């Protein structure tokens, strides 16, 4: 279609790889964020404020690239605001489980959570084997196997997974020991850790093909709440358990719904501050535009909350000319320089989305100029052909000429003639569509024979015989 062009896509979603990328754009911000997050699992987490001068500077694009490159060792959990401006413990639990319940390709129905639970149980069993609480012939070999092959060993659905079947048969006692060990490792209350150990055990031992196991887990999580404080503790326990295995990064992006709600912004800031204080290894990214930060967050934040949210600040910058060129080249290879020359710089396109929109306008304008004109508008673009003043025609012909001259000015009377066609290429009779005009030097335009020929054509087509 004529309106299709490589700059149509203006918005991106976190987690979906973009259709094009330019390394030069936001490179420094990307490198800073990558260095902050690419640390060993046991390192403390941070709260990171990713801030842009306005919407469209590429925050989501940058976050998706970070997730793509660190996804093997990090679990990025995108947070979704309920009702546009509500992010709390209950919504984050749902977001975390939704992320963990994604299926693993080629695994026969297993999801990420199956792998996480098996690794957690193997981690909790290791000290029990080392201390001799769990009898085994080769203690060192058993511990080594738990470290290197946890997914195999705790495969509750394989008939030859002896350790998994033993753990299932003795879980009433073993589950309590697992809870104590894991709670000690992540320094969180035993009660909520024990809740997750039990709920996750029921999930991982249920048949993989049973569609009810997801529902049973959700009912267990949401069925026995005793208030917001309990839900927060439950979330902290889940994040703490995940943090034993991988870097967990909560990503709060697309927060435009908070722009007019200072109260919701304050609740979000307090909630994130509480999470960071309780879950030591947790990373949180708050992705905001400058206007939302100043209008919704800053007016209500205490100095303490402001310090927590701005533990690390990464600022996106306006595009330089080289970055603009690189961005255009990523969408239209080989045409970046030409496109940049036709972009309307008066529109202040110093951010990626604005540049893409302006480039799309320039592309459509250039396409329209290059395309042949529609038939209905051909007369509007045909150059005027100077014609000599002929002798006054007979009265009948004069009346017909006046009638025809009035008719061709109607919108439906256009005649399809190429813009660049010379007078000799004009179809027969087309010259009659132009009313006679005086010429400064008629002999340089049309000779007498040419004029006589045109008049004969006119009389043959529009004389009395044709009325």
């Amino acid at each position: 279609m004529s309106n299709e062009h490589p700059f149509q896509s203006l918005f991106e979603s976190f987690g979906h790889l973009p259709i094009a990328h330019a390394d030069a754009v936001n490179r420094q911000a990307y490198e800073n964020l990558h260095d902050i997050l690419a640390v060993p699992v046991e390192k403390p987490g941070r709260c990171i404020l990713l801030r842009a001068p306005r919407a469209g500077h590429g925050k989501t694009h940058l976050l998706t690239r970070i997730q793509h490159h660190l996804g093997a060792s990090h679990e990025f959990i995108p947070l979704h605001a309920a009702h546009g401006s509500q992010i709390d413990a209950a919504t984050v639990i749902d977001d975390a489980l939704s992320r963990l319940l994604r299926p693993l390709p080629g695994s026969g129905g297993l999801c990420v959570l199956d792998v996480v639970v098996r690794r957690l149980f193997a981690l909790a069993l290791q000290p029990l084997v080392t201390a001799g609480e769990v009898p085994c012939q080769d203690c060192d070999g058993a511990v080594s196997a738990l470290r290197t092959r946890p997914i195999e060993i705790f495969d509750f659905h394989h008939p030859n997974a002896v350790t998994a079947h033993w753990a299932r048969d003795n879980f009433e006692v073993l589950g309590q020991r697992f809870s104590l060990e894991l709670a000690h490792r992540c320094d969180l209350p035993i009660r909520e850790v024990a809740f997750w150990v039990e709920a996750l055990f029921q999930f991982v031992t249920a048949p993989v093909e049973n569609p009810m196991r997801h529902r049973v887990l959700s009912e267990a999580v949401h069925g026995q709440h005793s208030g917001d404080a309990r839900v927060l503790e439950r979330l902290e326990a889940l994040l703490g358990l995940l943090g034993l295995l991988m870097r967990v990064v909560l990503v709060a992006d697309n927060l435009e719904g908070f722009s007019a709600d200072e109260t919701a912004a304050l609740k979000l800031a307090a909630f994130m501050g509480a999470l960071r204080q309780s879950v030591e290894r947790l990373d949180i990214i708050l992705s905001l535009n400058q206007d939302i930060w100043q209008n919704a967050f800053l007016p209500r934040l205490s100095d303490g909350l402001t310090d927590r949210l701005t533990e690390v600040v990464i600022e996106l910058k306006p595009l330089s000319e080289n970055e603009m060129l690189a961005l255009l080249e990523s969408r239209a290879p080989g045409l970046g320089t030409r496109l940049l020359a036709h972009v309307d710089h008066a529109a202040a396109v110093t951010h990626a989305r604005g540049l893409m929109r302006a480039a799309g306008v320039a592309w459509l304008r250039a396409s329209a100029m290059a395309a042949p004109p529609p038939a209905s508008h051909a007369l509007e673009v045909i150059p005027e052909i100077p014609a000599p003043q002929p002798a006054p025609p007979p009265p009948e012909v004069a009346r017909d000429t006046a009638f025809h001259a009035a008719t061709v000015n109607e919108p439906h009377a256009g005649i399809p003639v190429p813009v660049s066609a010379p007078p000799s290429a004009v179809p027969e009779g087309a010259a009659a569509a132009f009313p006679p005009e005086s010429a400064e030097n008629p002999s340089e335009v049309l000779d007498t024979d040419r004029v006589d020929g045109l008049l004969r054509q006119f009389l043959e087509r529009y004389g009395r015989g044709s009325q």
Side-chain angles (χ1 to χ4, degrees), residues 399-420:
R399 284 195 300 271
D400 291 343
T401 302
F403 173 81
H404 186 67
T407 303
V408 297
N409 289 326
E410 296 297 324
H412 63 274
I415 302 174
V417 182
V419 174
S420 59

Side-chain angles (χ1 to χ4, degrees), residues 260-333:
D261 196 337
E262 293 181 10
T263 302
L266 176 61
K267 289 181 179 179
L268 176 60
F271 168 63
M272 290 186 166
L275 280 183
R276 274 290 299 115
Q277 194 168 10
S278 301
V279 187
E280 183 183 9
R281 299 181 181 181
L282 179 66
D283 289 301
I284 298 177
I285 299 176
L286 185 63
S287 174
L288 287 172
N289 299 322
Q290 184 68 29
D291 58 340
I292 298 177
W293 172 251
Q294 290 183 338
N295 298 333
F297 283 83
L298 279 185
R300 299 288 295 275
L301 295 187
S302 65
D303 291 341
L305 280 177
T306 302
D307 290 345
R308 286 192 178 276
L309 293 188
T310 58
E311 186 176 0
V312 176
V313 179
I314 297 178
E315 299 273 7
L316 300 188
K317 306 296 183 182
L319 294 172
S320 66
E321 187 167 342
N322 288 337
E323 290 170 336
M324 291 182 186
L325 181 60
L327 194 55
L328 295 175
E329 283 286 340
S330 71
R331 296 286 187 100

Side-chain angles (χ1 to χ4, degrees), residues 40 59 62 101 110 235 243 259 267 284 353 357 407:
K59 301 186 305 299
L62 186 154
L101 290 173
L110 294 180
L235 171 62
S259 60
K267 289 181 179 179
I284 298 177
R353 187 180 301 153
R357 183 179 283 114
T407 303

Side-chain angles (χ1 to χ4, degrees), residues 63-109:
L63 291 170
T64 298
R65 288 183 59 222
I66 288 287
Q67 181 196 35
H68 177 67
H69 289 123
L70 297 178
S73 57
H74 293 52
E75 188 63 67
F76 288 81
I77 301 175
L79 306 185
H80 300 90
H83 313 297
S85 60
Q86 178 184 340
I87 295 178
D88 54 25
T91 67
V92 176
I93 287 178
D94 288 339
D95 291 333
L97 291 179
S98 175
R99 180 70 183 163
L100 294 171
L101 290 173
R102 69 188 188 277
L104 291 171
S107 64

Side-chain angles (χ1 to χ4, degrees), residues 17 24 88-89 105 116 132 168 201 206 356 381 386 410 464:
L17 282 177
D88 54 25
V116 167
R168 181 172 56 193
F201 171 75
M356 293 297 98
V381 296
E410 296 297 324
R464 286 186 176 183

